[in-house]
Amino acid sequence: MNQTAMSALATQVPDFAGLIARLGDAVPKHCILSKIEDTRPYECDGLSLYRTLPPVVILPENEAQIIAVLQACKAFNIPIVARGAGTGLSGGAMPHAQGILLGLAKLNRIQKIDLDTATAVVQPGVRNLAISEAAEPYGLYYAPDPSSQIACSIGGNIAENSGGVHCLKYGLTVHNVLKVRVVTIDGDVIELGSQAPDSPGLELLAAFIGSEGMLGVVTEVTVKLIPKPASARVIMASFASVETAGQAVTNIIATGIIPAGLEMMDKRAVHMVEPFVKAGYDLEAEAILLCESDGTEAEVEDEIQRMLAVFEQAGATRLQVSTSEQERLIFWAGRKNAFPAAGRVSPDYYCMDGTIPRRHLGRVLRAIEEMEDEFNLRCANVFHAGDGNLHPLIMFDSNQPNEVERAEKFGAAILELCVQVGGTVTGEHGVGIEKINQMCVQFTREELDFFCAFKRAFDPYGLLNPDKVIPTLVRCAEYGKMHVHGGAIRFPELPRF
Ligand SMILES: Cc1cc2nc3c(=O)[nH]c(=O)nc-3n(C[C@H](O)[C@H](O)[C@H](O)COP(=O)(O)OP(=O)(O)OC[C@H]3O[C@@H](n4cnc5c(N)ncnc54)[C@H](O)[C@@H]3O)c2cc1C
C-alpha cells in the first residue's frame, strides 16, 4: 500500500505459471480458471462501468486452500481481489489486471444455528437471505437486509458494512456480527470479535467490517439472530413536495419514534417502479414515504397511530396503511425493486450512494434536480430517508457519445455535495474504485495517512485489493480537489461544514 509497494506491482510481470505450479495439489485443478470464456463472468461487479478481465480466477472450496493461495500470492508478489456474489456497486470486487480473483462462492455452508445464544455460524459465501431462511423455523432472522439480499454474500456484506431498509432500527452489518475468522496475507488465521458483548483490547472487528477486502479474507462469520417481530405494518404517505416529505422524516425522528424502516421515493422513481410492481403508488405525489412499524400487535397499532398523526401534521396528501402481510410486502416491493425498474426505463443507470444529515434532504434533492440540467441527464431518487442515505439513479445510455463521462461527473458532483453539507461519500455501498477520488474531498491528508498505516499493519505488501478505497496523495493532487474545507463549493447557499 505504500508508494514503493504500489510501483513494484505496476512494473512486475506476474508469474501466474509459477504461482499455479507452487499451488500444486493444494488447490484442485478444477478450482483454477484461466480461459477467457471462464474468467469473463468475473470482469466486473454490479458497477459494470468499470471492467478488468482477471488473468486467473481461483475458486477455493475450503479455508486450507485459501491459506495456500494467499501464501503463494505473497511469495510471487501477486495481488488478490476477493469476491463474494459480485453484486457490489462500487467496483470493490473488480479484478486487478495483474492479480488473481479469489471467488468465495463455494464456501456456502451454514455451519451452525445456536438457539441458546441466538447466533449462526456461516461460511462467507452464504447468501444474506439464506441465513434468515435457515433461522426462520426457530422464529429468528438476521436483521440487515440489503435489497440484493437474495444474491449477495455475508462475506461481501462484511467487507462493505452493508445496510438495508431495516437498518434504521436494527443497525448495519457492524451491529449484527459478533465474530469473523480471517486469513491474513501471510496465511495466518486470526479471529476478530467474540460471542461476548465486548471483546478485550482494541476493537478490531469494527475496524475490519467495511474494509472492502483490503485487510484479509473472511472465512467464517458469527452473526446475531433476533426474534421475528409478531407483527409489522407499513404506512404509505404521499407528499406534494420532497421538502415536506423530508420535513416529515425529521419530525418522525424528532418525536422519538425509530421506525423499522423509513424510505423515500421521488416522483420520477415512483413513475419508474409502479408499472413494474403495480403496488398502487400515488402517481400524483411528488414524493412517497414508506414507514414501517414492527413489534407486538398492540405496539404496532399504537406506533402507527402516532406516525399517522405526524404525517398528517406535516401535510401528507394521502395516507394508506397496509392491512395484511401481503399488502405490506407489495408496498415494499417497489422500493426494493427500484434498481431493476431503472433498467426497464433506461439503457444504463448509475446508482450513487451518499449520506447527508436528514435535515438537508429537501434542499439536496433540489440541488440534484439543478444538476440534471447541468449534466443533461435525468435522475430518479430512492433512499433510506431515515438514515439520510441517498441513492440517486442517474439514467444514461452508454452508446451515446459522452454519456458515460457525464454520468460519472454527475455522480461525483452529488457525492461532493454530500460532503459539503456534512455527509459522507458512501452510506453502504463502499468506496471501491468508484468513489476513490471523492475520498480526497472527504478526508484530510492526515486522515488518509492513518488509513494507509492501518492497511499496512494488515497488508504490508499492498497485495489485498490494491488501488482501491484509499487514494494516494498523488491521485488526490491529480484529481485537483482536496478536502472541501479548503476546496471549491458548488452550492454556496448550502451549509458548509
Ligand atoms: C440490485 C442491488 C441492490 C442493492 N441493495 C443494497 C442495499 O440495500 N444495501 C447495501 O448495503 N448494498 C446493496 N447493494 C450492494 C451490494 O449488494 C452489497 O455491497 C453487498 O454486500 C455485496 O456483497 P457481494 O457478496 O456481492 O460482494 P462482492 O460484490 O463480491 O464484493 C464486495 C466487496 O467485498 C469484498 N469481499 C467479498 N467477499 C469477501 C471475503 N470473504 N473476504 C474479504 N473480502 C470480501 C470484495 O473484495 C469487495 O471489495 C445492492 C446491489 C444491487 C445489485
Side-chain angles (χ1 to χ4, degrees):
M1 189 56 218
N2 56 31
Q3 302 283 349
T4 322
M6 288 179 57
S7 53
L9 279 182
T11 52
Q12 76 174 26
V13 179
D15 181 4
F16 291 115
L19 176 91
I20 291 168
R22 170 173 167 143
L23 286 175
D25 294 336
V27 178
K29 293 288 167 279
H30 66 263
C31 297
I32 303 177
L33 315 176
S34 54
K35 289 190 198 140
I36 288 181
E37 61 267 33
D38 294 332
T39 57
R40 179 75 70 196
Y42 299 92
E43 71 180 348
C44 67
D45 61 7
L47 177 68
S48 52
L49 275 182
Y50 306 115
R51 293 163 189 263
T52 301
L53 195 64
V56 175
V57 174
I58 303 185
L59 304 173
E61 292 165 331
N62 55 46
E63 186 181 82
Q65 292 173 10
I66 294 172
I67 294 171
V69 171
L70 292 193
Q71 285 173 336
C73 284
K74 180 187 151 193
F76 283 83
N77 201 32
I78 287 180
I80 304 114
V81 177
R83 178 183 170 105
T87 67
L89 290 172
S90 57
M94 191 187 80
H96 191 283
Q98 292 168 308
I100 65 138
L101 196 280
L102 188 69
L104 282 312
K106 289 185 178 176
L107 280 85
N108 62 357
R109 278 198 304 282
I110 294 180
Q111 289 166 325
K112 187 168 156 190
I113 294 205
D114 185 344
L115 297 182
D116 291 337
T117 55
T119 56
V121 180
V122 303
Q123 291 188 319
V126 169
R127 289 177 306 114
N128 171 299
L129 188 60
I131 303 176
S132 292
E133 285 168 350
E136 192 173 11
Y138 312 104
L140 299 170
Y141 77 114
Y142 174 63
D145 57 344
S147 301
S148 53
Q149 66 180 153
I150 193 169
C152 66
S153 75
I154 188 73
N157 292 177
I158 284 175
E160 303 290 6
N161 190 19
S162 295
V165 162
H166 291 98
C167 289
L168 176 62
K169 182 167 179 180
Y170 295 105
L172 299 162
T173 302
V174 69
H175 306 111
N176 289 277
V177 167
L178 291 170
K179 196 161 94 171
V180 293
R181 195 174 155 92
V182 174
V183 178
T184 69
I185 187 62
D186 293 311
D188 297 326
V189 175
I190 57 171
E191 290 194 346
L192 305 176
S194 78
Q195 293 264 7
D198 187 18
S199 56
L202 294 178
E203 185 46 289
L204 290 179
L205 176 64
F208 187 90
I209 294 177
S211 62
E212 304 196 30
M214 293 189 307
L215 305 181
V217 176
V218 177
T219 56
E220 189 182 276
V221 187
T222 306
V223 299
K224 283 187 212 170
L225 300 173
I226 59 172
K228 270 192 95 166
S231 151
R233 289 164 74 192
V234 61
I235 300 172
M236 185 157 70
S238 309
F239 290 87
S241 73
V242 286
E243 281 88 353
T244 47
Q247 189 56 48
V249 170
T250 307
N251 294 355
I252 283 278
I253 304 291
T255 57
I257 301 171
I258 305 290
L262 180 49
E263 302 282 308
M264 197 194 289
M265 287 185 281
D266 71 2
K267 189 169 194 168
R268 188 169 285 137
V270 170
H271 279 248
M272 193 175 76
V273 296
E274 177 57 19
F276 186 39
V277 294
K278 300 185 178 58
Y281 290 153
D282 180 357
L283 295 172
E284 301 300 313
E286 288 298 320
I288 281 186
L289 290 180
L290 291 169
C291 186
E292 182 158 293
S293 171
D294 68 6
T296 63
E297 297 275 353
E299 284 165 349
V300 171
E301 180 55 31
D302 172 63
E303 202 168 64
I304 289 280
Q305 292 310 323
R306 287 192 291 138
M307 290 166 165
L308 285 171
V310 174
F311 287 147
E312 263 171 35
Q313 212 172 18
T317 53
R318 186 172 129 183
L319 287 166
Q320 200 179 338
V321 184
S322 64
T323 51
S324 65
E325 180 60 7
Q326 194 192 4
E327 195 173 32
R328 183 182 79 87
L329 295 176
I330 290 173
F331 283 3
W332 278 121
R335 167 60 190 90
K336 291 218 167 200
N337 286 297
F339 297 178
R344 297 174 77 234
V345 298
S346 174
D348 298 287
Y349 70 92
Y350 185 24
C351 172
M352 298 313 297
D353 163 49
T355 302
I356 56 167
R358 276 186 299 263
R359 64 184 182 284
H360 298 317
L361 274 175
R363 185 61 193 91
V364 165
L365 289 179
R366 284 282 162 258
I368 292 175
E369 218 173 277
E370 289 171 34
M371 290 182 200
E372 290 187 301
D373 292 336
E374 181 182 346
F375 296 101
N376 193 21
L377 291 173
R378 303 278 71 86
C379 179
N381 288 288
V382 295
F383 44 96
H384 307 305
D387 294 316
N389 182 195
L390 311 177
H391 288 320
L393 297 169
I394 300 168
M395 317 287 170
F396 68 101
D397 181 351
S398 52
N399 291 318
Q400 297 303 318
N402 304 325
E403 287 215 2
V404 173
E405 292 74 13
R406 274 191 278 134
E408 284 181 309
K409 285 188 181 148
F410 192 169
I414 293 174
L415 296 181
E416 286 162 29
L417 175 62
C418 291
V419 180
Q420 183 189 326
V421 300
T424 65
V425 297
T426 168
E428 53 182 20
H429 294 172
V431 175
I433 189 70
E434 177 199 39
K435 303 180 188 108
I436 193 162
N437 287 336
Q438 282 68 48
M439 291 291 277
C440 308
V441 178
Q442 176 97 62
F443 293 105
T444 63
R445 177 191 187 125
E446 292 74 21
E447 288 159 350
L448 291 175
D449 280 348
F450 275 110
F451 286 153
C452 283
F454 191 74
K455 156 83 169 155
R456 244 190 330 266
F458 277 79
D459 178 23
Y461 326 103
L463 293 175
L464 289 165
N465 219 2
D467 308 333
K468 303 209 184 123
V469 186
I470 310 172
T472 60
L473 292 177
V474 172
R475 184 175 189 124
C476 289
E478 278 169 7
Y479 187 55
K481 290 182 198 164
M482 289 299 284
H483 191 53
V484 281
H485 289 252
I489 297 292
R490 295 176 57 83
F491 292 91
E493 77 284 10
L494 279 170
R496 193 172 164 178
F497 287 76

